[in-house]
Amino acid sequence: MEEWTAQRAAALCAAMGYTLGEFAEYLGLSRSTVAKWNRKTNPRNPGREAQDLLSVALAKASPAVRAQFHQRAGEVPQVWTAGEPRAQVVDSAAQAEQLANEVAALGSDADLIEYQRAELGRLAVEYVHAPLPAVFEDLRHVQNTLTQALRTPQRPSQTHDLMFLAGVTSILLAHASQNLGDHGAALKHLRAAATLATAVDSTALRAWTCGSSALFHEWSRRPAAAVTDALKGLQYDAGLQTRQRLLAIAARSAARAGRPDTAHELLARLDELPERGFASADSVEGFGGLLSFPTTKKVYYVGGTYALLGEHDAAQRFSAQAIRAYETGSPEERSYGDLALARLDHAHACLGRDDFDGAAASVTQILDLPPAERISQLDEAVTTLRDRARQLAGRQHRAARELSDGLTGYLVERPRALPSGCA
């Protein structure tokens, strides 16, 4: 573990553009503690707990902030080795961008196409319940195979199928990159997916790309852009599950953007039948797993939307329903990421109803998550819940203080299995 001196801590504070008070609040420490690191005479080095907090803060910082920190601290930035997850994420994103630029290069045969189609179906299902690093490695293998095949001349029909499969792969890699904490890499994969969707004229791929783009905007604190992208996807002829996914993302994003009327309107449309001429299912939904939108996932989104709207009774009811469905459903359909986020929605709703025992019960499940299941999106959701618990703790709620302390422990716990990012 890296060692934090008073000088390095001050360099990080300056690189992030925070005042002492803002830096202390961000780290969850007292202002007096942070002030001791910045004394001109006899500065005190951060203690053991602060060492962990500073390391996590640096890991979550943007590349620009990290570069400025290393410059201020007089250090050479850490170089990721080829075997580390972030290097794999960056490398795969670069390859996706290259493929989008060279999409005219074509290739492969029918047997390979069918095998890769089956492999993508397997990975889409495994993505939901299996540890992400292993799935990511297999996705990279599919990406390599399809990229090489598309650079080999072949019949037009096979080229079309290969490009469609490459687009599906790009969507899965976009989600994997976002879950691994690299928003920039995710956007490059989405660009590749959009390019390939246009090349093969796939409305299903276009709709899914819009939905994924909306989801990434929502997690990157751009909910208004998320609503726009999700609604844009509804113009394409896509399956019922794809349309429900777009409506659910738009509803939750509208709630996050402070547009309750829009959120309620979109929730009311979730169960409406598609207009005549729209498909009941599409070619992307057929892969299943992450590329589907089953009822349990829809219920989870509805619960999250109500939680953001501050409608605590409805939020608690729907999130509890989603949790039960994930817990009792088949392991192949149990999305550990969605289950964890549904527990946090449930905890928010419980706090809104002064049900501290219910909130604590949901949070306990989050604190016990194995490292391989701690996707980067959990950090922001946990931070929001921690801040809410702190507000209540300030009103002499002992249970809320204990809840806040436990969530702070989650945020500083090391080692982290997946790098944290801005998502």
Side-chain angles (χ1 to χ4, degrees), residues 169-179 185-187 189-190 212 216:
T169 305
S170 293
I171 289 176
L172 289 171
L173 281 168
H175 280 267
S177 299
Q178 186 77 2
N179 290 152
L187 294 182
H189 284 300
L190 279 186
S212 296
F216 299 164

Side-chain angles (χ1 to χ4, degrees), residues 38 64 81 125 159 166 170 189 200 220 242 338 354 367 388 401:
N38 291 266
T81 64
V125 171
T159 296
S170 293
H189 284 300
V200 299
S220 300
T242 302
D338 289 348
D354 289 334
L367 301 182
R388 173 60 179 152
R401 184 165 59 251

Side-chain angles (χ1 to χ4, degrees), residues 324-407:
R324 286 193 301 270
Y326 278 129
E327 288 179 336
T328 59
S330 65
E332 292 77 15
E333 297 176 355
R334 190 174 303 154
S335 170
Y336 62 81
D338 289 348
L339 175 56
L341 291 166
R343 293 190 194 283
L344 290 172
D345 290 336
H346 186 264
H348 273 288
C350 288
L351 284 185
R353 301 175 72 250
D354 289 334
D355 178 8
F356 296 105
D357 290 339
S362 292
V363 166
T364 297
Q365 303 294 325
I366 301 299
L367 301 182
D368 291 340
L369 278 177
E373 295 184 6
R374 297 186 177 191
I375 60 175
S376 65
Q377 285 92 332
L378 287 175
D379 280 3
E380 180 172 340
V382 167
T383 299
T384 301
L385 183 62
R386 190 269 309 271
D387 292 345
R388 173 60 179 152
R390 275 184 175 174
Q391 292 176 355
L392 295 173
R395 301 172 191 168
Q396 306 305 313
H397 286 286
R398 179 178 178 182
R401 184 165 59 251
E402 293 175 352
L403 184 66
S404 172
D405 291 344
L407 292 169

Side-chain angles (χ1 to χ4, degrees), residues 3-274:
E3 181 179 355
W4 285 88
T5 63
Q7 179 188 4
R8 296 184 81 234
L12 180 58
C13 178
M16 297 179 78
Y18 284 152
T19 64
L20 286 183
E22 291 169 340
F23 196 44
E25 181 178 359
Y26 177 76
L27 294 174
L29 298 171
S30 68
R31 192 182 189 284
S32 61
T33 296
V34 175
K36 294 176 183 177
W37 309 338
N38 291 266
R39 293 190 302 213
K40 293 183 179 180
T41 59
N42 193 28
R44 181 177 299 179
N45 289 334
R48 184 174 62 180
E49 178 187 1
Q51 295 274 334
D52 288 340
L53 289 166
L54 289 163
S55 294
V56 172
L58 179 60
K60 293 178 67 174
S62 67
V65 168
R66 287 197 297 270
Q68 189 175 137
F69 161 74
H70 289 300
Q71 182 180 6
R72 288 177 176 274
E75 300 174 353
V76 177
Q78 178 184 0
V79 178
W80 293 83
T81 64
E84 291 180 310
R86 183 174 175 82
Q88 291 285 326
V89 173
V90 173
D91 184 48
S92 72
Q95 184 170 321
E97 190 171 39
Q98 182 179 8
L99 175 60
N101 290 334
E102 300 176 2
V103 75
L106 312 174
S108 202
D109 59 48
D111 289 341
L112 175 64
I113 290 172
E114 290 309 308
Y115 176 80
Q116 296 302 323
R117 189 185 301 275
E119 183 70 355
L120 281 174
R122 177 184 72 82
L123 293 173
V125 171
E126 285 199 2
Y127 192 110
V128 172
H129 64 89
L132 184 54
V135 175
F136 187 86
E137 184 177 351
D138 286 349
L139 281 172
R140 286 282 287 128
H141 180 71
V142 173
Q143 182 190 35
N144 288 333
T145 302
L146 293 174
T147 300
Q148 184 62 37
L150 281 168
R151 290 172 178 161
T152 304
Q154 61 188 271
R155 291 192 296 273
S157 62
Q158 293 179 342
T159 296
H160 178 280
D161 290 345
L162 278 171
M163 293 173 73
F164 172 77
L165 293 179
V168 172
T169 305
S170 293
I171 289 176
L172 289 171
L173 281 168
H175 280 267
S177 299
Q178 186 77 2
N179 290 152
L180 286 166
D182 196 321
H183 182 64
L187 294 182
K188 289 181 180 179
H189 284 300
L190 279 186
R191 183 218 165 189
T195 301
L196 291 159
T198 300
V200 299
D201 193 23
S202 171
T203 55
L205 268 180
R206 288 192 181 103
W208 268 85
T209 301
C210 286
S212 296
S213 176
L215 197 59
F216 299 164
H217 281 315
E218 181 191 5
W219 281 112
S220 300
R221 302 180 184 181
R222 298 185 61 202
V227 175
T228 299
D229 277 2
L231 295 180
K232 177 183 175 183
L234 290 172
Q235 69 181 297
Y236 298 114
D237 182 2
L240 178 59
Q241 288 191 21
T242 302
R243 290 174 58 77
Q244 288 182 329
R245 175 181 186 250
L246 290 165
L247 286 166
I249 294 172
R252 192 173 68 180
S253 299
R256 203 181 295 276
R259 295 165 56 183
D261 292 342
T262 301
H264 281 111
E265 176 189 348
L266 292 166
L267 285 176
R269 294 176 57 189
L270 265 177
D271 293 318
E272 70 180 11
L273 294 176

